[in-house]
Amino acid sequence: MLSLIIVGASLTLLVHAQGCPNPLFTSYQTPSLAEGYGLQLLTQNITNPHQIIFDSVGNLLISGDPTGIIALAIEEFGSDGCLTIREQKLVVENGDLDLNHGISLSPDGKTLYASSVEAAYSWAYDPLTISASERRTLVVGMTSRGHSSRTLLASSSFPDFLIISRGSEGNLDTHVLDLATGRSMIRAFNVSHISEKPYNYTNDGVLLGWGLRNSVGVSEDRLGGLWSVENSDDFARRDESDIHTSNPADELNWHGSLSQTVGVPGYAGPNYGYPTCLTVWEPIPLPFKLMLETGDQFARSPNSTFNDTDCETTFRGPRISFLAHTAPLDIRFHPRTGDAWIPFHGSWNLDDPVGYTLSYVPFDKHMQPVPKKNDMNATVDVLWNKDNKLCPVECFRPTGVAIDARGRVWVTSDHTGEIFVVTPPEAYLNGTQVLTRPSKGSGISIASGSISMSGLLMLYALGASLLIWF
């Protein structure tokens, strides 16, 4: 069912499945949706939802709420995928743990992981009763100022390993040039052999990569490869020139197959460049060497002994580059297509906000990105705001993403406390969709009914108050 409500100068488009009881409405201009996709607003009652995961029976677990880890038991009505919440339950009480962003489940679904700024914890988890017990402290020694998220990933290909990402201490953290800081890196820990004494993040585990400013999203593809999305510098300068409006790029980074990393004794991952080298998004404003392309690395402070060429030869660059300041915060690989779905949380320090989209990067059968590293249109936008000038206060601000057994993509919006469910068209799920990058604001087509932007404008002209049901 598609609802259109027009009141005076305010136009809101609301989309939900046919026959859904008690449909919810956004308090702001509802996001635009790519043609052929379906959209339902499931809830707007979670405070600051961050990452989301499904347990083995389909309950949705949510991090970020100040009360702790919340679970939603979901029910479906009818054949068109109408969803409703049967039960909302607090699974892990925050108390003095100060839990924040990270959440994961072991491949067998029996162990729940969550993180605070200081530590990573585990609980025995029962999906049938939606309950957690027997808390253990696995990893400590992560407290620092600045970026506080500690993203967790329980590996599917190496079930004994828990992967943890830790960001920098502030925007420009030159101390991370010393590995002993334990910041701006991703490490893996064998949690099946942990003793009574927890691991120390800096000294223990397997170093998978460093020189990573703030890799909030970490995920494993279906071939066992590890990927992360990195939030880059907010106020970059190239020597004395301010280049922060359009540089550096945010990044999609490849960390290799886990069989070639955690499975190799003594493995130590590469340096990805931060803070010495950053990645080009827009080449034009870069002084001194204008031939650099999108995706190339450049030296923050080039000199006679270290320059842009050294960045390319010394450090590992990104596989895909994203528009500066779009802030990718999660990544999940679609089980049907292999594409990487990414929520771009959006900028906070630009006069013209960018990001605020749920998008995906197409991947091939070998689980490598289809776009080249210099492609400035590497993402396909699926859900976005009509006007980012209202952001971040009155808009969709995606944070975490999960994909259910039917191929639907669930996404949180932390600022508004919402969870949306995006239903891809069958052509996408079965791999026959022609790859297009939708023109934002060009219209919307949902389920059995569709409406174009020109149609909306005609309806808008009708006047003060109108309700139309399709």
Side-chain angles (χ1 to χ4, degrees):
M1 182 178 290
L2 183 147
S3 305
L4 176 66
I5 298 178
I6 304 173
V7 182
S10 175
L11 181 150
T12 303
L13 185 65
L14 305 162
V15 185
H16 50 88
Q18 179 72 30
C20 286
N22 304 317
L24 300 177
F25 304 93
T26 58
S27 60
Y28 53 91
Q29 193 174 40
T30 301
S32 295
L33 190 66
E35 184 176 358
Y37 286 75
L39 180 68
Q40 182 184 348
L41 174 54
L42 179 72
T43 182
Q44 50 198 176
N45 292 324
I46 308 297
T47 302
N48 201 36
H50 278 211
Q51 287 196 303
I52 48 177
I53 55 173
F54 288 100
D55 69 17
S56 57
V57 299
N59 301 307
L60 187 70
L61 303 180
I62 309 162
S63 72
D65 192 284
T67 62
I69 297 174
I70 292 175
L72 302 180
I74 309 297
E75 287 187 348
E76 300 198 25
F77 288 89
S79 60
D80 57 358
C82 176
L83 298 160
T84 189
I85 298 171
R86 174 172 53 83
E87 180 184 6
Q88 180 171 319
K89 184 177 180 179
L90 183 63
V91 178
V92 174
E93 186 174 357
N94 204 346
D96 59 356
L97 295 179
D98 196 26
L99 300 176
N100 54 15
H101 182 80
I103 187 172
S104 193
L105 275 170
S106 60
D108 63 8
K110 296 179 180 180
T111 304
L112 172 65
Y113 302 100
S115 65
S116 69
V117 174
E118 163 62 12
Y121 304 98
S122 71
W123 292 261
Y125 179 71
D126 184 347
L128 298 180
T129 59
I130 319 179
S131 61
S133 60
E134 303 173 20
R135 187 184 85 218
R136 298 181 67 194
T137 303
L138 305 178
V139 182
V140 296
M142 297 189 287
T143 297
S144 57
R145 296 170 297 172
H147 297 115
S148 60
S149 61
R150 305 289 182 259
T151 302
L152 307 179
L153 177 68
S155 170
S156 295
S157 56
F158 280 77
D160 292 341
F161 279 84
L162 179 67
I163 297 160
I164 307 177
S165 175
R166 183 185 179 195
S168 63
E169 189 173 76
N171 180 60
L172 177 57
D173 187 355
T174 57
H175 296 290
V176 303
L177 295 170
D178 182 359
L179 272 173
T181 63
R183 299 193 297 270
S184 294
M185 60 179 58
I186 299 175
R187 287 184 174 270
F189 300 85
N190 189 334
V191 292
S192 68
H193 298 309
I194 192 169
S195 64
E196 290 301 317
K197 183 180 179 181
Y199 289 120
N200 178 277
Y201 185 86
T202 301
N203 301 325
D204 301 320
V206 180
L207 178 64
L208 300 180
W210 58 300
L212 297 158
R213 179 179 174 272
N214 191 29
S215 297
V216 187
V218 181
S219 189
E220 189 178 11
D221 67 38
R222 58 192 178 191
L223 298 181
L226 186 69
W227 300 80
S228 70
V229 285
E230 181 179 357
N231 291 233
S232 197
D233 197 311
D234 291 322
F235 298 104
R237 301 184 70 85
R238 167 87 157 186
D239 280 340
E240 299 303 317
S241 299
D242 182 355
I243 60 170
H244 89 277
T245 300
S246 55
N247 283 292
D250 289 337
E251 302 177 9
L252 173 64
N253 287 310
W254 161 242
H255 303 286
S257 169
L258 288 177
S259 63
Q260 300 169 338
T261 55
V262 299
V264 177
Y267 177 84
N271 189 319
Y272 288 78
Y274 173 84
T276 305
C277 296
L278 303 171
T279 297
V280 176
W281 173 255
E282 174 56 66
I284 297 174
L286 289 174
F288 308 120
K289 190 174 181 181
L290 301 182
M291 66 285 297
L292 289 176
E293 293 185 338
T294 298
D296 290 338
Q297 289 198 311
F298 66 93
R300 183 192 295 273
S301 300
N303 54 52
S304 59
T305 61
F306 191 92
N307 56 36
D308 300 326
T309 301
D310 295 307
C311 286
E312 290 292 308
T313 57
T314 305
F315 302 115
R316 178 177 289 185
R319 299 303 295 272
I320 294 294
S321 303
F322 304 123
L323 175 64
H325 308 293
T326 50
L329 290 193
D330 204 354
I331 175 173
R332 289 291 180 268
F333 290 91
H334 202 287
R336 300 266 195 103
T337 66
D339 297 335
W341 284 72
I342 302 170
F344 291 90
H345 196 234
S347 62
W348 64 272
N349 64 338
L350 297 180
D351 293 335
D352 295 317
V354 296
Y356 304 94
T357 66
L358 173 65
S359 311
Y360 69 86
V361 175
F363 269 60
D364 62 26
K365 64 181 180 180
H366 303 293
M367 292 311 300
Q368 295 299 312
V370 173
K372 305 299 182 183
K373 78 167 188 175
N374 63 348
D375 191 339
M376 299 184 78
N377 295 289
T379 60
V380 179
D381 295 345
V382 174
L383 192 61
W384 65 88
N385 294 292
K386 295 181 178 69
D387 185 0
N388 278 349
K389 291 181 179 179
L390 301 175
C391 296
V393 179
E394 298 182 19
C395 71
F396 166 65
R397 196 171 198 194
T399 308
V401 65
I403 302 171
D404 67 19
R406 290 182 52 172
R408 294 173 297 205
V409 181
W410 301 51
V411 59
T412 61
S413 175
D414 61 351
H415 182 77
T416 55
E418 297 167 325
I419 299 176
F420 291 91
V421 184
V422 175
T423 303
E426 282 301 316
Y428 173 82
L429 295 176
N430 63 27
T432 61
Q433 176 175 292
V434 176
L435 184 61
T436 58
R437 294 179 172 88
S439 174
K440 295 177 175 61
S442 61
I444 192 165
S445 177
I446 305 297
S448 59
S450 63
I451 184 165
S452 66
M453 185 56 66
S454 60
L456 290 175
L457 294 174
M458 291 176 63
L459 290 168
Y460 180 69
L462 293 178
S465 181
L466 180 64
L467 175 64
I468 296 179
W469 300 94
F470 289 85

